[in-house]
Amino acid sequence: MITTTSPAERLLATSVLIIGTGGAGLRASIELAEQGVQVLAVGKRRAHDAHTTLAAGGINAALGTMDPEDSWQQHAADTLRESYFLADPAIVEVVARGAAQGIAELESWGMPFAREDDGRISQRFFGAHRYRRTCYAGDYTGLEIQRTLMRRASELRVQIVDTIYITRLLTSDGRIFGAYGFDIVDGTPVVIHADAVILAAGGHTRIWRNTSSRRDENTGDSFRLAALAGGKIRDAELVQFHPSGLVEPSDVAGTLVSEAARGEGGILRNALGERFMERYDPERMELSTRDRVALASYTEIAEGRGTANGAVTLDVSHLPREQILNRLPRVYRNLIDLQMLDITEQPIEVAPTAHYSMGGVWVRPEDHGTGVDGLYAIGEASSGLHGANRLGGNSLIELLVYGRITGADAAEYVRGIGSVRRDPTAVGAARDEMQRLLTGSGSDSESAHETPRRLQRALRDVMTAHAGVVRDEAGLTEGLEKVADLEDRATRVTAHPDIAGFDDLAHAFDLAGSLLAARATLECAIERRETRGCHNRSDYPEQNDDLTGNMVWTPSGGVVFEPLADAPEEFRLLAKAAADDSVAGKLVE
């Protein structure tokens, strides 16, 4: 790594820059390092505590260790059907075909998968899977994957700097030549020269008030970085709401209560004591899919049958105490820590919480290139696999499959570059943007008094009120008007770093990403005039087959509808076959 230092800016240079140090970024880094290509991975939070660590349930691959009749074609079919046929069939095929290799790689790097007595990797059901294909490591699968990838990256001497916030991608003549940012600890501006950039910085679920993401995660960074560099955003409106997020205390609202609580026999009730899932899915009850349970809970609350805190209750207190302590240890501990509530004796108040961005940056199926030369996107930053509802366990395997593929393509890309033009004007624009936020020089100093955290909270209130579980045109339009007002107020934001660091500057850029992601979400949601999967339109309650395709958004062009190609026959027919909705022996997704 070539590094020079000046009093004003630090200059780094690498062949490939990866933005994000979670599972996706690490897997791409490993591939590049194994191919002998110089790589630098940067992130805005500690790599050992990346969002990947929160994934509990498992990771999918049609290994057939438990059900030999399983196949990649059936995995692809289940994924396509659960997406309500909005997933890109080519992306679905790549992930399903490559899943077994991803598991084998983790295994070779020491991943502690749960195993059967004879040594086979254990696999279990998740909701909407035809066969048992979810590999796991207790209820800490994501944490163990992150540890495994961190260990392998360390062995390969991958350079990771997890205190750098990237504010802009640098382009010249439509080609990436690096990125601009700052060190969160001391505020030093950083210019990074890179021949290719891989975006792995997550999604945009933090723009809702109740979310399973932590404060500085999934704020729309990837959306903004890609869009301002010339990329496109696909299906921003398709956001998975998890049915069971905590509602208090307010600073952790949205924190997940694992679906294992429902899988073990937890019962959902409204404030009247009614087991309300009888009205919405009498066959599967609490073991219905996320989109259906989230909609049911939302409806109970919206129609006045929720608790005083705007919630329903999830009760496991009828289960044996030993079962709860042995099978739900994380849930038990979290509720004691956060609320001093003993779930063996009392029900939990929960409400739908924004959980996963199924839309994201538009990417090509073959390599996850974005259409901007040298720019790729992977993981939750990208789009195309999940459509209108994510198949449980698919997000983790997506990281491994496309981390490997994209890393390999980026290696080939940078090897083939003869020369790179670096435009000082692009660097200057990024530098000026940061300085305006620090000095308030972008607006009248008398009125430069807006603080990013206040506007972030206001935006989350807007998105919760106007683009939550159920939407309509009037509400979405009103939401856009309120976002426009917040965009205007954001021009008067001034960041105020202090002795503790430059977090306030990070919040200002988080706000910029969130505002762009909110606009994309609202504009796409208006154009999707149907109800499909996670997207519920009260004014268009039926699915519209003419909208079997993607909403593609750019800041200058708005929304364009792109129809989807048919899936290959080898898994299209499987996807359209009658699904097995039985819940016997299955966990929820």
Side-chain angles (χ1 to χ4, degrees), residues 149-336:
L149 296 176
M150 286 283 289
R151 185 167 57 248
R152 179 59 179 158
S154 177
E155 292 169 355
L156 294 168
R157 301 184 184 279
V158 171
Q159 184 167 358
I160 298 172
V161 183
D162 53 12
T163 59
I164 290 180
Y165 191 115
I166 298 299
T167 64
R168 284 272 182 159
L169 298 179
L170 302 175
T171 62
S172 177
D173 300 325
R175 172 179 284 186
I176 287 288
F177 72 86
Y180 194 89
F182 65 96
D183 189 297
I184 292 174
V185 177
D186 62 17
T188 302
V190 180
V191 181
I192 304 175
H193 288 170
D195 298 335
V197 172
I198 299 176
L199 265 178
H204 69 313
T205 52
R206 190 60 186 156
I207 68 175
W208 281 268
R209 185 168 60 236
N210 286 3
T211 171
S212 58
S213 297
R214 293 167 292 189
R215 187 176 71 180
D216 56 349
E217 296 174 333
N218 294 321
T219 53
D221 308 26
S222 298
F223 286 38
R224 179 175 182 269
L225 291 171
L228 296 186
K232 299 175 287 187
I233 307 303
R234 174 167 51 191
D235 293 339
E237 80 282 10
L238 300 182
V239 176
Q240 186 172 65
F241 284 83
H242 193 289
S244 51
L246 298 180
V247 294
E248 58 177 0
S250 59
D251 59 336
V252 294
T255 298
L256 290 191
V257 175
S258 170
E259 281 171 318
R262 301 199 331 268
E264 290 296 327
I267 294 173
L268 287 166
R269 299 188 189 278
N270 60 25
L272 304 177
E274 298 170 328
R275 191 175 182 181
F276 59 84
M277 283 307 299
E278 293 177 346
R279 285 195 282 272
Y280 302 93
D281 194 339
E283 293 297 320
R284 292 181 290 183
M285 301 288 279
E286 284 82 8
L287 297 186
S288 187
T289 56
R290 280 181 184 166
D291 58 325
R292 292 178 178 89
V293 179
L295 178 59
S297 297
Y298 172 88
T299 302
E300 292 297 307
I301 297 165
E303 293 182 355
R305 295 185 294 277
T307 68
N309 289 323
V312 295
T313 63
L314 173 59
D315 192 5
V316 296
S317 64
H318 57 284
L319 301 175
R321 180 180 178 85
E322 294 74 18
Q323 180 181 353
I324 293 172
L325 296 179
N326 291 333
R327 305 295 291 272
L328 303 171
R330 179 184 281 187
V331 177
Y332 177 82
R333 185 178 65 250
N334 281 348
L335 268 296
I336 289 288

Side-chain angles (χ1 to χ4, degrees), residues 181-506:
F182 65 96
D183 189 297
I184 292 174
V185 177
D186 62 17
T188 302
V190 180
V191 181
I192 304 175
H193 288 170
D195 298 335
V197 172
I198 299 176
L199 265 178
H204 69 313
T205 52
R206 190 60 186 156
I207 68 175
W208 281 268
R209 185 168 60 236
N210 286 3
T211 171
S212 58
S213 297
R214 293 167 292 189
R215 187 176 71 180
D216 56 349
E217 296 174 333
N218 294 321
T219 53
D221 308 26
S222 298
F223 286 38
R224 179 175 182 269
L225 291 171
L228 296 186
K232 299 175 287 187
I233 307 303
R234 174 167 51 191
D235 293 339
E237 80 282 10
L238 300 182
V239 176
Q240 186 172 65
F241 284 83
H242 193 289
S244 51
L246 298 180
V247 294
E248 58 177 0
S250 59
D251 59 336
V252 294
T255 298
L256 290 191
V257 175
S258 170
E259 281 171 318
R262 301 199 331 268
E264 290 296 327
I267 294 173
L268 287 166
R269 299 188 189 278
N270 60 25
L272 304 177
E274 298 170 328
R275 191 175 182 181
F276 59 84
M277 283 307 299
E278 293 177 346
R279 285 195 282 272
Y280 302 93
D281 194 339
E283 293 297 320
R284 292 181 290 183
M285 301 288 279
E286 284 82 8
L287 297 186
S288 187
T289 56
R290 280 181 184 166
D291 58 325
R292 292 178 178 89
V293 179
L295 178 59
S297 297
Y298 172 88
T299 302
E300 292 297 307
I301 297 165
E303 293 182 355
R305 295 185 294 277
T307 68
N309 289 323
V312 295
T313 63
L314 173 59
D315 192 5
V316 296
S317 64
H318 57 284
L319 301 175
R321 180 180 178 85
E322 294 74 18
Q323 180 181 353
I324 293 172
L325 296 179
N326 291 333
R327 305 295 291 272
L328 303 171
R330 179 184 281 187
V331 177
Y332 177 82
R333 185 178 65 250
N334 281 348
L335 268 296
I336 289 288
D337 290 344
L338 295 175
Q339 297 182 6
M340 287 304 294
L341 185 146
D342 186 341
I343 65 172
T344 68
E345 299 177 355
Q346 298 170 283
I348 314 161
E349 285 190 278
V350 296
T353 180
H355 180 53
Y356 194 90
S357 301
M358 293 179 291
V361 179
W362 181 96
V363 289
R364 295 186 295 259
E366 60 269 24
D367 58 9
H368 267 30
T370 64
V372 179
D373 284 351
L375 179 61
Y376 305 83
I378 54 177
E380 197 172 353
S382 66
S383 63
L385 177 62
H386 308 296
N389 199 45
R390 178 172 66 92
L391 189 69
N394 265 0
S395 56
L396 290 176
I397 197 61
E398 179 188 17
L399 309 180
L400 298 177
V401 173
Y402 272 109
R404 174 181 56 80
I405 291 171
T406 302
D409 196 87
E412 182 179 357
Y413 173 83
V414 298
R415 288 191 185 107
I417 292 177
S419 63
V420 176
R421 179 177 180 270
R422 310 197 189 282
D423 184 0
T425 304
V427 179
R431 180 186 299 124
D432 291 346
E433 177 183 52
M434 185 183 299
Q435 289 305 310
R436 284 196 300 272
L437 285 171
L438 288 169
T439 64
S441 59
S443 58
D444 179 0
S445 60
E446 291 295 319
S447 61
H449 61 274
E450 296 283 5
T451 59
R453 293 295 302 283
R454 283 182 58 195
L455 295 187
Q456 284 175 324
R457 181 177 290 272
L459 178 63
R460 290 166 190 152
D461 288 343
V462 169
M463 294 302 291
T464 299
H466 299 289
V469 176
V470 177
R471 303 146 178 196
D472 61 41
E473 190 129 0
L476 292 165
T477 302
E478 184 178 349
L480 272 176
E481 294 169 355
K482 292 179 179 179
V483 166
D485 177 65
L486 292 173
E487 289 170 333
D488 177 66
R489 292 173 62 186
T491 64
R492 298 188 289 277
V493 162
T494 302
H496 298 283
D498 57 28
I499 194 171
F502 279 69
D503 285 347
D504 201 49
L505 183 58

Side-chain angles (χ1 to χ4, degrees), residues 46-110:
R46 299 297 184 187
H48 70 270
D49 193 32
H51 191 68
T52 303
T53 65
L54 301 184
I59 178 170
N60 297 336
L63 304 181
T65 62
M66 311 299 288
D67 296 318
E69 59 270 45
D70 199 9
S71 64
W72 76 260
Q73 292 93 336
Q74 187 64 56
H75 183 186
D78 292 349
T79 300
L80 186 62
R81 182 176 58 247
E82 190 70 2
S83 80
Y84 289 78
F85 293 89
L86 292 190
D88 184 326
I91 290 177
V92 170
E93 179 171 349
V94 168
V95 171
R97 278 184 178 271
Q101 181 178 344
I103 297 297
E105 288 165 348
L106 281 181
E107 191 177 11
S108 71
W109 299 331

